Amino acid sequence: MQGKCAAAARNFKISGFLKSAGRNKVTGRWTNPNGVGAINISGTRGGNAITFQVKAKDPKTKKTRKYRMVWTLARGSMSVSTKLADHETKPVGLIRFAKK
């Protein structure tokens, strides 16, 4: 998948891919130059969502952090929600994709 994130005063391209890695498991790569950068990902599928636990450098502090990303599919759209894994209530970002 490829997309463009447009927000006030900035926009950037994001991309990723997934492939099956066995029963309810997926692997792939996620690229967000304005966030975690380019990282390998692996996760577990449940219902219409795939949950990933990833380690990446915080773009502000440059410290390695654990993140929880949830990719959710629903009626021709997809969303990527990211939170700090050690602070599940603190959102880092939410990106929504829609089919053109």
Side-chain angles (χ1 to χ4, degrees):
M1 84 177 152
Q2 294 182 350
K4 180 178 178 183
C5 184
R10 65 180 180 173
N11 69 61
F12 51 93
K13 293 181 181 180
I14 53 179
S15 63
F17 73 87
L18 295 176
K19 63 181 178 178
S20 177
R23 185 178 169 95
N24 295 329
K25 303 283 184 193
V26 294
T27 61
R29 187 147 177 91
W30 176 246
T31 302
N32 177 346
N34 199 52
V36 297
I39 58 173
N40 292 323
I41 56 177
S42 63
T44 305
R45 182 177 170 265
N48 66 337
I50 302 171
T51 302
F52 302 94
Q53 300 286 344
V54 299
K55 287 183 182 179
K57 283 190 178 180
D58 182 301
K60 292 179 183 174
T61 67
K62 306 299 182 204
K63 293 181 180 179
T64 299
R65 303 291 305 263
K66 290 182 184 178
Y67 295 89
R68 180 177 182 258
M69 292 187 344
V70 179
W71 295 14
T72 306
L73 298 173
R75 294 188 182 188
S77 69
M78 180 180 148
S79 66
V80 177
S81 171
T82 306
K83 296 180 180 182
L84 289 171
D86 53 352
H87 295 68
E88 289 295 326
T89 59
K90 183 178 179 185
V92 174
L94 174 63
I95 303 169
R96 289 197 170 102
F97 298 88
K99 269 186 167 180
K100 285 187 174 185

